[in-house]
Amino acid sequence: MSNYQPVIGLEIHSELKTQSKMFCDCLNQSGIKGPNVNICPICLGHPGTLPAINRTAVELVVKAGLALNCAIAKSAKFDRKNYFYPDLPKGYQISQYNLPLALGGWLDINGKKIRLTRIHLEEDAGKLIHPKGTSPKNARHSLVDFNRAGVPLMELVTEPDISSGEEAGKFCEELQLILRYLEISEANMEKGQMRCEVNISLRPAEEKKKLGTKVEIKNLNSFRAVRRAIEYEIKRQSDLLESVHKVVHETRGWDEDKQKTFSQRSKEQAQDYRYFPEPDLPPLGNLVEMSGELAKEIPELPLAKRERFVEEYKLPVNDIATLTANKGLADYFEQVVSELDTWLKIKSIKDKDKLVKLTANYLLTELQKLMLSRKTGINKCQISPENFAEFITMIERKEISSSAAQAVLKEMFDTGADPSHVVEEKQLTQVSGRDELSKIVKRVVGENQKSVNDYKAGKGNALQYLVGQTMKASQGKANPEVVREILMEMLR
Ligand code: ADP
Ligand code: MG
Ligand code: ZN
């Protein structure tokens, strides 16, 4: 295996997040229930109908091109790609052949520039449904759903610069993140909003120029499948090269159950699509002006954000990766951090870095847990950044215990209330007074004689248990550090 170097190029389709379809007014809805709801004579390819270009779709692809360092074409056009398939009502797909919207460019993956060949705009086809089952009724027909026919699709093609399954997986993940930052596409692979085809060949390790025979792998529905299929294929192809010295040029599918690729069709003769310019659509002009305007709308991209966060917040890289994996969460984090300044002043707290860390921790654990349990996202979070910042300083100043903090956060999340009100209303202020706590500790000690004996016999864990029982008895309000001190004195 080490005798061969894997050479991998990707072709990635992403469904664009537009209101309407590419060439008609039908709604572009992902995951709609019921077949053939969003259809019209245009996307059904009825004779005599005329397409019209969805400007937003063009803009989204230009944006993607700008974000990925491409050269935006001065002018571009649409072409017809002719082939027959039952999910393609017109008998051709409107795509772009020799004048795509964006050329060149690259995406940085772990410091390596993966070059892009091009990005173009086209329309999606419908979906065929093959009812399962052996009854003649089911086995003899397929169904077709045109909801997806004519949905705008961006196709990105890379140069064969990728050299492992891991690198290909990372590429797809980073592209997904960029498309989400730019609000170009939801790009969810499981939902088919982003579809990745892998082209892979092996070449002898000493060979630097000539490429080997490639195989194309389709139906990869997750990042994991991309990685696994490539790993499988590297092994399969190197075994072939070692034994029969030849790989067949073909399209293979990925069998998720068997975790194997399987032959779908041979590519010995290239299919002729008879491309020709789409006569019903004007060329795309004014792209220079358009891209000039759109360049102003490109936000800070994930890589730049991660690098800046490392510099500014000195958080662990994993925390930064998780924070920036969701632009909304990263933005919220920064709003909270900027509100922290006011509270630091009010409560004369010095160590800002510590509070920044605490903020990140609470966002990544407790808040994430709440959002998950409420099935909602950061954009629906009712807690104002100012309140969140105050909440963090309350934890730092030990005004609330960490268990009370959870209750406070929950209440803030559900009602948007500010933390000092919640604490007051629910009487959650942390109790640090020794007199008050001593009473509770005394009771707990009386009720847990066995643990007391264990502790005196040298079992350190017993003390932790008694602290826990005291916390419980105080309904989470006791300051655990003070409780521990009192216990140690009492049991000396
Ligand atoms: P096709 O005409 O078969 O679609 P293209 O030349 O358009 O092939 O390339 C499609 C994809 O395959 C691109 O991502 C490209 O980088 C990649 N590719 C081309 N040749 C090879 C090869 N020998 N090994 C691996 N990937 C390749
Ligand atoms: Mg191809
Ligand atoms: Zn339509």
Side-chain angles (χ1 to χ4, degrees), residues 68-71 102-106 115-119:
L68 293 163
N69 315 292
C70 301
L103 280 163
W106 76 84
R115 292 170 301 157
L116 310 186
T117 314
R118 56 186 277 160
I119 308 178

Side-chain angles (χ1 to χ4, degrees), residues 21 23-27 38-44 149-150:
K21 289 187 181 182
F23 300 114
C24 62
D25 289 338
C26 289
L27 287 179
N38 294 327
I39 54 173
C40 75
I42 295 174
C43 55
L44 290 181

Side-chain angles (χ1 to χ4, degrees), residues 7-11 117 157-160 199-201 211-214 216 249 267:
V7 175
I8 301 158
L10 304 176
E11 293 166 279
T117 314
V157 183
T158 79
E159 291 293 298
N199 296 269
I200 171 165
S201 65
L211 293 175
T213 305
K214 73 170 175 163
E216 182 170 338
H249 184 203
K267 278 206 170 180

